[in-house]
Amino acid sequence: MGVNMSNNPPSSRTKDFFASPALSLSLAGIFRGANAAGPATLAAEVEEGEEGSGGGGRREETVEISSENSGPVRSRSDDELEGEEHDEEEDGDDKNKKKKRKKYHRHTVEQIREMESLFKESPHPDEKQRQQLSKQLGLAPRQVKFWFQNRRTQIKAIQERHENSLLKTEMEKLRDENKAMRVTINRACCSNCGTATTSRDSSLTTDQEQQLRIENAKLKSEIEKLKAALGKYPPGACTASNEQEIINRSSLDFYTGIFGLETSRIMEIVNQATEELNKMATTEEPLWIRSVETGRQILNYDEYMKEFNVENSRNGTPKLSIEASKETGVVFVDLPRLVQSFMDVNQWKEMFPCLISKAATVDVICNGEGPSKDGAVQLMFAEVQMLTPMVATREVYFVRFCKQLCAEKWAIVDVSVEKVEDNIDASLVKCRKRPSGIIIEDKSNGHCKVTWVEHLEWQKSTVHTLYRTIVNSGLAFGARHWIATLQLQCERIVFFMATNVPTKDSTGVATLAGRKSILKLAQRMTWNFCRAIGGSSYHTWNKVTGKTGEDIRVSSRKNLNDPGEPLGIILCVVSSVWLPVSPHVLFHFLRDDTRRNEWDIMSNGGQVQSFANLAKGQDRGNAVSIQKINSNENSIWMLQDCCTNAYESMVVYAPVDINGMQSVIAGCDSSSIAILPSGFSILPDGLESRPLVITSRHDEKSLEGGSLLTVAFQILTSSSPTAKVTMEAVESVNTLISCTLRSIKTSLQCEDG
């Protein structure tokens, strides 16, 4: 059973949801054999398609490495020597004929320096550049061409050696972990019957247990599927065509005790869930009662149990807390596109980057009818997060059903199925979905009315005191958060696709292609930020104490081949604090370029000038800007993406290469621009109360609620993927985040808060 799960937007690497230990060990054997040959046998390969390569395929060369770190050295290649004069001496006698000897041409230090300088700007110079450089250095064009070929080959060889070294280290680590797991299992289980004989070893971590259980569930499913397939087809009767038919067929068709439910029972459950969702979305009082103080709709649970015949709690499981919310809003997107974004797991993740850290379609039970996916049923997995590592994520398995209710009304229904969960492992299921989802009504001019119902059961756990109120009140993962994010993302799509953008909404960029390229780069930057700072199991967070007493979380990761961010070791440091200022005031302070030097330590108090501003939503706070920071005769360009909705706000920024950014402004592709974002996430503190006074004045109407501010910095500590994170680097980012928080508190006059 294949699972498509990627943590990142389309440009990021894809991680397999079910990591296979057997596959890891097989790969380890392959790399062990490859490394045995030693680095001395590495053959440099000339890139295909290069002019003058003659299509001869692979060719071994002696490569002499030179770099800026080691200083310029002389290099040569056999191809350079072909154009040189050579002496050939012959005798009349064939026995004494001497072999051809070539005169070696060594480049001077000045020649190498000039070619290195051009190589930094353009590793693939065109013919005109080669001709110009050859005249300047007094070399033949072929010599320049082959020097650049060899230089590219050298860079590849260096990268391959780094990657091989890293793979070897990871292989050893996996081997040690596998050995430790085997020892633990043998110690804890009887070798004959598999019954537990001793208490579980504390060395087996929660992550390792989860991976083992998921792997076990996958293997059981595959075995049962193969058994059913072998029983259905006699030996020798399985051709290529029906092999594909077996693969494409849902595993839920092969029921010999895997999930314990037939497809007909699954369809019965989702149809009942659709009826319940429709009633929950359309019924008001007495099922839903609107709060006088907050305006939120509160579920009358006694009325709910009476209406839908629901038992109070599940038998045999810990009592779970109930969380229910409903919200209605209008989104700027046409109905077919909105339905598609929910039924395609990758589009669904992209639509909610701040909420979904992982998602996968585990199985397709029914494909539905036509491109509209009417009647489609999918078994899905999701890990839902907050933009802080201080709150644990919620993992949930559920069945998603897409149903057309009438000509202009659709339902996307999510519901957890107990038998499926029990097969995976009941101990992993700490969050379940009761019938939840959205009712979509098609309106005119590409608008849709969306009613969102979020109804969850979750096992309560310890929550950090800062976030206890907002999590326990249901705001953090409730319908208001989901629908506000959906509205923001749909607006972004509309502004991205627009061709008649007013001048006031697109200043500093002359072309439509440039506008789209900048917005796409900013979107990727924000996705990276959301993926980096959450509490997902992708990251391992370590707690340290800040200079001023804050709780700070630190995590590191290695980037080997993703061109979207710098290669090497990346350190991420995050801290969350409460501030006695409203989220609106805090957001506009942090996005204001005229006040940036009050908190940005990197600006050194220099003047900040915004020379490009691109709107991406109706609220003026939703915009992408390019800022120029002048400090100590140096000029730094900063790309900043600001997002705000009815629930949360973000200010994300990253320094960018000036030459690369100029090409993006001109409309070139931005996918190869390496960017490492830092920034802020702002949430309300969840303490809702009545206003202190009743007045018609607008500035006195807003509640003086506080803000939960999360500050995150990402730093490249080393460009070598084999380097280790040092205590000096951790101390530096600790100082950086502590100084930033102190500056923000000072500027907002809330040091005592």
Side-chain angles (χ1 to χ4, degrees):
M1 185 194 310
V3 178
N4 174 23
M5 172 177 297
S6 60
N7 175 29
N8 320 332
S11 61
S12 62
R13 297 186 300 276
T14 301
K15 286 193 175 183
D16 190 359
F17 176 61
F18 296 113
S20 171
L23 178 60
S24 300
L25 292 176
S26 300
L27 288 174
I30 294 173
F31 286 118
R32 199 160 49 237
N35 290 337
T41 63
L42 180 65
E45 177 180 346
V46 177
E47 299 175 1
E48 291 186 9
E50 281 290 330
E51 180 180 335
S53 63
R58 297 197 171 196
R59 169 167 56 85
E60 292 192 0
E61 299 176 339
T62 301
V63 178
E64 195 169 337
I65 304 298
S66 65
S67 67
E68 288 181 323
N69 296 333
S70 60
V73 298
R74 301 181 185 273
S75 63
R76 68 181 185 184
S77 72
D78 293 341
D79 295 293
E80 291 177 7
L81 307 178
E82 291 179 7
E84 301 298 322
E85 297 180 359
H86 59 272
D87 296 331
E88 185 177 339
E89 299 180 6
E90 297 184 6
D91 289 340
D93 189 3
D94 293 337
K95 294 180 181 180
N96 298 326
K97 183 178 294 184
K98 294 183 178 180
K99 295 181 179 179
K100 296 179 180 180
R101 292 183 300 176
K102 301 177 181 179
K103 288 183 179 178
Y104 295 144
H105 175 82
R106 295 184 180 274
H107 297 315
T108 65
V109 174
E110 182 63 29
Q111 289 172 337
I112 292 177
R113 184 183 297 114
E114 291 296 328
M115 289 189 285
E116 286 279 7
S117 177
L118 179 59
F119 184 83
K120 290 178 186 176
E121 299 177 3
S122 175
H124 294 266
D126 54 28
E127 186 176 356
K128 183 178 179 181
Q129 289 174 307
R130 291 200 301 264
Q131 291 283 357
Q132 184 178 355
L133 188 60
S134 64
K135 291 178 181 178
Q136 179 183 343
L137 302 179
L139 296 172
R142 285 174 58 83
Q143 290 176 288
V144 174
K145 179 181 70 173
F146 289 125
W147 186 92
F148 274 86
Q149 287 181 358
N150 284 343
R151 192 73 181 96
R152 290 193 296 269
T153 304
Q154 292 164 12
I155 296 298
K156 288 183 179 179
I158 293 171
Q159 290 176 346
E160 287 175 2
R161 281 199 293 273
H162 280 311
E163 291 175 5
N164 287 341
S165 174
L166 185 65
L167 285 171
K168 186 176 180 181
T169 304
E170 293 294 330
M171 179 190 71
E172 294 296 335
K173 182 180 176 182
L174 286 172
R175 186 184 291 114
D176 293 342
E177 289 179 359
N178 184 271
K179 189 182 297 182
M181 288 181 188
R182 290 179 182 276
V183 170
T184 302
I185 292 171
N186 290 335
R187 186 185 305 156
C189 302
C190 171
S191 57
N192 294 323
C193 64
T195 305
T197 56
T198 61
S199 61
R200 187 170 295 178
D201 195 331
S202 61
S203 65
L204 194 63
T205 65
T206 303
D207 287 343
Q208 291 171 336
E209 285 183 285
Q210 181 174 353
Q211 288 299 325
L212 286 172
R213 287 169 178 161
I214 292 174
E215 181 70 17
N216 185 51
K218 185 196 172 194
L219 291 173
K220 281 167 58 180
S221 175
E222 293 294 335
I223 290 170
E224 295 296 341
K225 189 191 294 187
L226 290 173
K227 282 182 181 178
L230 289 173
K232 198 173 185 69
Y233 298 95
C238 191
T239 63
S241 60
N242 57 37
E243 275 181 5
Q244 189 62 37
E245 181 184 348
I246 294 171
I247 293 171
N248 291 336
R249 187 175 296 209
S250 166
S251 63
L252 295 178
D253 288 339
F254 300 117
Y255 275 110
T256 54
I258 306 172
F259 294 116
L261 291 172
E262 295 182 357
T263 307
S264 58
R265 177 58 183 152
I266 294 284
M267 297 305 298
E268 182 182 342
I269 291 172
V270 296
N271 280 313
Q272 290 175 352
T274 304
E275 293 180 10
E276 180 174 325
L277 174 65
N278 200 16
K279 283 185 181 179
M280 294 272 284
T282 55
T283 306
E284 299 297 331
E285 293 187 1
L287 184 62
W288 293 94
I289 301 173
R290 188 172 294 277
S291 168
V292 177
E293 293 185 357
T294 65
R296 295 170 55 200
Q297 289 187 304
I298 302 171
L299 180 66
N300 182 344
Y301 197 66
D302 292 335
E303 186 68 26
Y304 170 77
M305 288 193 296
K306 177 180 168 183
E307 176 72 24
F308 298 106
N309 243 358
V310 179
E311 295 181 3
N312 222 342
S313 61
R314 299 173 65 197
N315 295 327
T317 60
K319 187 175 180 180
L320 303 178
S321 298
I322 305 298
E323 198 174 279
S325 56
K326 182 171 79 166
E327 194 77 19
T328 301
V330 175
V331 296
F332 295 90
V333 68
D334 59 281
L335 191 146
R337 181 164 188 166
L338 185 57
V339 171
Q340 176 64 26
S341 66
F342 278 84
M343 299 310 295
D344 184 302
V345 70
N346 291 321
Q347 292 185 34
W348 186 50
K349 281 192 300 182
E350 292 172 10
M351 192 68 77
F352 301 96
C354 58
L355 274 162
I356 302 173
S357 53
K358 291 181 185 177
T361 300
V362 181
D363 206 345
V364 177
I365 303 169
C366 178
N367 284 318
E369 298 178 3
S372 63
K373 296 289 185 180
D374 181 22
V377 183
Q378 301 174 354
L379 175 61
M380 301 183 71
F381 165 83
E383 182 185 58
V384 185
Q385 68 171 0
M386 289 184 68
L387 291 183
T388 174
M390 295 185 180
V391 178
T393 58
R394 294 182 177 181
E395 297 183 353
V396 56
Y397 292 86
F398 58 94
V399 174
R400 173 162 290 178
F401 179 44
C402 176
K403 178 69 174 176
Q404 183 174 9
L405 302 178
C406 62
E408 297 178 349
K409 196 173 182 181
W410 286 68
I412 306 293
V413 189
D414 295 340
V415 60
S416 294
V417 182
E418 295 184 22
K419 294 281 186 178
V420 175
E421 296 169 357
D422 294 340
N423 175 75
I424 293 168
D425 194 330
S427 65
L428 295 179
V429 182
K430 297 181 180 180
C431 182
R432 301 183 67 254
K433 280 202 173 193
R434 288 189 175 182
S436 305
I438 58 174
I439 302 296
I440 309 170
E441 297 179 53
D442 193 11
K443 300 296 181 181
S444 59
N445 300 325
H447 291 62
C448 289
K449 178 185 176 183
V450 175
T451 303
W452 195 302
V453 175
E454 197 68 19
H455 195 183
L456 302 171
E457 292 178 340
W458 63 287
Q459 188 175 326
K460 274 194 174 182
S461 58
T462 304
V463 181
H464 194 281
T465 52
L466 279 176
Y467 292 91
R468 192 167 295 162
T469 300
I470 195 171
V471 171
N472 292 340
S473 65
L475 286 172
F477 302 101
R480 179 184 173 192
H481 191 181
W482 287 96
I483 206 164
T485 305
L486 177 64
Q487 289 174 317
L488 179 66
Q489 294 297 320
C490 290
E491 272 193 9
R492 178 190 56 79
I493 294 172
V494 170
F495 274 72
F496 178 80
M497 300 299 295
T499 56
N500 55 344
V501 183
T503 305
K504 64 183 178 65
D505 291 336
S506 185
T507 59
V509 180
T511 65
L512 189 61
R515 172 185 168 83
K516 289 189 174 183
S517 188
I518 294 171
L519 291 178
K520 191 177 292 185
L521 178 61
Q523 181 185 28
R524 174 161 65 85
M525 177 179 69
T526 302
W527 280 343
N528 180 297
F529 177 77
C530 293
R531 190 171 62 248
I533 72 169
S536 172
S537 56
Y538 279 132
H539 314 297
T540 301
W541 294 99
N542 298 307
K543 182 179 176 181
V544 298
T545 303
K547 302 288 184 181
T548 54
E550 306 92 355
D551 284 347
I552 294 178
R553 303 294 194 274
V554 178
S555 178
S556 64
R557 67 180 186 275
K558 298 177 182 178
N559 180 31
L560 298 179
N561 51 19
D562 183 4
E565 61 181 22
L567 300 179
I569 305 297
I570 297 172
L571 188 64
C572 182
V573 56
V574 181
S575 182
S576 298
V577 296
W578 178 83
L579 296 177
V581 295
S582 70
H584 178 80
V585 170
L586 182 57
F587 171 68
H588 285 285
F589 164 71
L590 293 172
R591 67 178 289 265
D592 188 352
D593 56 352
T594 62
R595 303 190 67 181
R596 186 185 188 98
N597 53 16
E598 295 182 29
W599 57 263
D600 190 354
I601 311 299
M602 308 303 291
S603 68
N604 257 347
Q607 184 182 4
V608 180
Q609 176 189 3
S610 180
F611 63 89
N613 191 78
L614 310 178
K616 59 185 184 72
Q618 290 182 314
D619 191 306
R620 305 308 300 175
N622 288 313
V624 176
S625 61
I626 304 175
Q627 300 175 352
K628 184 178 181 182
I629 302 176
N630 298 314
S631 175
N632 297 332
E633 299 181 356
N634 292 326
S635 181
I636 302 173
W637 281 21
M638 199 77 69
L639 178 66
Q640 179 172 287
D641 186 16
C642 299
C643 312
T644 185
N645 58 40
Y647 177 77
E648 69 180 333
S649 303
M650 282 189 291
V651 177
V652 184
Y653 63 89
V656 289
D657 176 68
I658 296 178
N659 293 331
M661 200 63 210
Q662 286 175 338
S663 68
V664 172
I665 293 173
C668 296
D669 182 26
S670 63
S671 59
S672 61
I673 301 293
I675 198 163
L676 193 59
S678 301
F680 307 93
S681 169
I682 305 166
L683 296 173
D685 58 10
L687 299 175
E688 299 174 313
S689 61
R690 295 182 180 180
L692 301 178
V693 295
I694 299 175
T695 176
S696 59
R697 292 178 56 187
H698 186 286
D699 56 349
E700 297 289 347
K701 281 185 178 180
S702 61
L703 301 179
E704 289 298 323
S707 301
L708 298 174
L709 173 66
T710 297
V711 185
F713 290 104
Q714 294 192 89
I715 308 293
L716 181 70
T717 61
S718 175
S719 57
S720 171
T722 57
K724 302 292 183 182
V725 176
T726 63
M727 287 305 298
E728 289 79 5
V730 175
E731 188 69 19
S732 297
V733 292
N734 189 341
T735 303
L736 176 62
I737 204 166
S738 298
C739 291
T740 301
L741 285 172
R742 190 184 305 114
S743 300
I744 292 173
K745 291 177 181 179
T746 301
S747 295
L748 296 175
Q749 300 179 359
C750 55
E751 295 94 335
D752 295 335

